[in-house]
Amino acid sequence: MLRGISTMNLWAEDLPAAARWYTELLGVEPYFSSEAAGRGSGYVEFRIGDYQHELGIIDRRFAPPGLAAEPGGVVVYWHVDDVTATLERLVLLGARQLEAVTERGPGFVTASVVDPFGNVLGIMYNRHYLDILANRGGVL
């Protein structure tokens, strides 16, 4: 059964530019790169958030055959404390707004962007996420 996100991968034609953009957005350097590991360029990975989820960026030349180069039909939403401020920062850094700030119900607010490399990023204030974090002794 599905138990949680292990690694979320994004694709980029220009991996170094994507690594720089995400480093600025996230405020941390990638903790792994295939090049630094002596495996050649092609992949970088960040650990982010309360559970240190993995966000990987893969050179598009390694994409599975038939994978669309434009945004697809799945949106992964990352919990944020302030959807409006996060959306504004993403747009300021060069992302294109896909979905405006939208209230989905009490305690659930979403928005999404397309990053400069064609990937969809969803952002969400999700009270359920905070409840789970609190029940596990996390910091709110």
Side-chain angles (χ1 to χ4, degrees), residues 39-60:
R39 299 181 188 157
S41 66
Y43 184 72
V44 297
E45 191 170 272
F46 297 86
R47 293 233 175 182
I48 60 174
D50 300 304
Y51 294 103
Q52 293 295 285
H53 291 291
E54 296 175 355
L55 175 63
I57 304 171
I58 304 172
D59 189 305
R60 194 171 297 279

Side-chain angles (χ1 to χ4, degrees), residues 7-94:
T7 303
M8 177 185 160
N9 287 325
L10 305 174
W11 306 91
E13 297 286 341
D14 185 343
L15 184 62
R20 287 189 303 272
W21 193 84
Y22 275 91
T23 296
E24 183 173 352
L25 172 67
L26 301 171
V28 297
E29 295 284 332
Y31 86 96
F32 174 84
S33 80
S34 58
E35 191 166 22
R39 299 181 188 157
S41 66
Y43 184 72
V44 297
E45 191 170 272
F46 297 86
R47 293 233 175 182
I48 60 174
D50 300 304
Y51 294 103
Q52 293 295 285
H53 291 291
E54 296 175 355
L55 175 63
I57 304 171
I58 304 172
D59 189 305
R60 194 171 297 279
R61 71 179 185 236
F62 298 116
L67 185 69
E70 63 272 349
V74 174
V75 179
V76 174
Y77 288 94
W78 295 88
H79 175 81
V80 299
D81 293 327
D82 185 331
V83 174
T84 301
T86 303
L87 177 61
E88 289 172 358
R89 181 156 188 265
L90 284 161
V91 170
L92 182 69
L93 289 173

